[in-house]
């Protein structure tokens, strides 16, 4: 619903296109099902992924379909089961390792960075680690500081990893399938508040061979006055803000990054050359954030000469997430914050 999850209504499909409403949860479930069926080396492990159908029901029905060897419930030990998954990837399997929240991936950070991310380089390419680390990332609702951190900047900082951050159902399915098929470790940062949100998916996106290339951003809305760059749930907020600003004669171009590492800065540069203004939006903390990296890359590249005003960042507040709802709301970028930042950038 617009204004609740940061999602705008999708435009009506053309009469020739077969379009269905699919939630992000179901899109992820489809992707896992199709890849488990396609490649017997793929398996899923994590807490409650099997008999309980997943803490968020992402793996619903997969244990009954594929059995104990392909969908594995683990003890509550992130360091343990992540290490098992990394070792399995080194041995030639293709694990999908689910964290109940990426905040808990801190328990396994040594396995993700030192074991998975660095091994291909340190072995001169002789040992691959084709693994996907996935689960909800960033703020949910009313779960306080230890469940609400965005790790896009953390994992995006580390060479050896690919990092994807989907917004829509199409993003979720296409990026998860691409991640499972990739020969490198991939961190897939989903958002819990998007799991139940329906998006329109084309017939093409629902095919078993649909993948979205890792490292390619998508322009969600064309515009001429300012470039809004975002990822994950904040993309919806940007689209809502763009709709508000359009009523005032300001046309925003909204870019959904989709991938944090490698970053598609070329798409952002081309947009900034056209609009001459840049606003980045993210739910994470400001210091050393995704927006900071985008702004730095624009400053260092050819698009800098086209900026008519300094770039503006919209971020989460620089504090651990509070539990109280009114404080939480003020820690997460809202549509009004994006509108304010655009007007600041345009000096209106």
């Amino acid at each position: 619903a617009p204004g609740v999850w940061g999602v705008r209504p999708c435009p009506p499909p053309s009469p020739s296109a077969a379009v269905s409403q699919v939630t992000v949860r179901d899109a992820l479930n489809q992707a896992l099902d199709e890849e488990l069926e396609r490649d017997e080396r793929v398996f899923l492990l994590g807490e409650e992924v099997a008999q309980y159908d997943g803490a968020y029901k992402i793996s619903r029905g997969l244990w009954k379909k594929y059995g104990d060897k392909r969908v594995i419930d683990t003890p509550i030990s992130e360091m343990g089961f992540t290490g098992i998954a990394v070792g399995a990837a080194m041995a030639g399997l293709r694990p999908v390792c689910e964290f109940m929240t990426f905040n808990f991936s801190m328990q396994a950070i040594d396995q993700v960075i030192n074991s998975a991310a660095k091994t291909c380089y340190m072995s001169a390419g002789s040992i691959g680690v084709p693994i996907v680390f996935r689960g909800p990332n960033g703020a949910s609702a009313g779960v306080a500081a230890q469940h609400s951190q965005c790790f896009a900047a953390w994992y995006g900082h580390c060479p050896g990893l690919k990092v994807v951050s989907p917004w829509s159902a199409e993003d979720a399915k296409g990026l998860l399938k691409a991640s499972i098929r990739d020969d490198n470790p991939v961190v897939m940062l989903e958002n819990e508040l998007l799991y139940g949100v329906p998006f329109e998916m084309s017939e093409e996106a629902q095919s078993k061979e649909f993948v979205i290339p890792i490292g390619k951003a998508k322009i969600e809305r064309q515009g001429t006055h300012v470039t809004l760059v975002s990822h994950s749930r904040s993309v919806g907020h940007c689209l809502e803000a763009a709709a508000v600003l359009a009523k005032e004669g300001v046309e925003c171009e909204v870019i959904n990054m989709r991938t944090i590492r490698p970053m598609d800065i070329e798409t952002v540069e081309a947009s900034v050359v056209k609009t001459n203004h840049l606003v980045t939006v993210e739910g994470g903390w400001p210091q050393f954030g995704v927006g900071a990296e985008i702004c730095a890359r624009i400053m260092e590249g050819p698009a800098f000469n086209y900026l008519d005003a300094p770039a503006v960042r919209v971020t989460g507040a620089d504090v651990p997430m509070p539990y109280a709802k009114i404080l939480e709301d003020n820690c997460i970028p809202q549509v009004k914050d994006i509108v304010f930042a655009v007007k600041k950038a345009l000096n209106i």
Side-chain angles (χ1 to χ4, degrees), residues 10 32 48 58 62 66 73 98 130 141 170 173 193-194 199 216 235 241-242 255 269 298-299 307 326 344:
C10 295
L32 287 169
E48 298 184 348
I58 303 299
L62 299 180
Y66 295 101
D73 277 331
E98 177 179 307
E170 180 180 301
K173 181 178 181 183
L193 294 177
L194 289 174
F199 290 85
K216 185 62 183 169
V235 175
I255 298 178
E269 284 178 336
I298 291 297
M299 187 185 75
L307 282 174
I326 189 168
K344 177 183 176 183

Side-chain angles (χ1 to χ4, degrees), residues 138-145 148-150 193 233-234 237 281-286 313-338:
S140 180
V143 291
S148 294
Q149 185 175 334
C150 176
L193 294 177
R233 185 169 174 248
S234 295
H237 290 134
V281 184
E282 64 189 303
W285 294 321
R313 289 181 295 157
V314 180
T315 71
D318 197 22
V319 297
M321 184 63 68
Y323 172 70
K325 185 178 189 316
I326 189 168
L327 296 177
E328 180 184 68
D329 288 344
N330 282 282
C331 280
I332 301 170
Q334 308 292 333
V335 172
K336 62 180 175 60
D337 302 315
I338 301 169

Side-chain angles (χ1 to χ4, degrees), residues 24-66:
V24 171
R25 174 182 290 109
D26 288 342
L28 291 166
N29 182 265
Q30 280 179 27
L32 287 169
D33 189 8
E34 291 168 7
E35 294 305 300
L36 284 162
E37 181 181 67
R38 186 186 68 88
D39 188 343
E40 64 181 10
R41 296 172 298 172
V42 176
F43 71 97
L44 173 66
L45 79 166
E47 295 152 356
E48 298 184 348
V49 299
Q51 295 187 44
Y52 187 66
D53 278 342
Y56 308 98
K57 301 300 179 264
I58 303 299
S59 53
R60 184 179 58 242
L62 299 180
W63 173 68
K64 290 179 181 176
K65 184 173 180 179
Y66 295 101

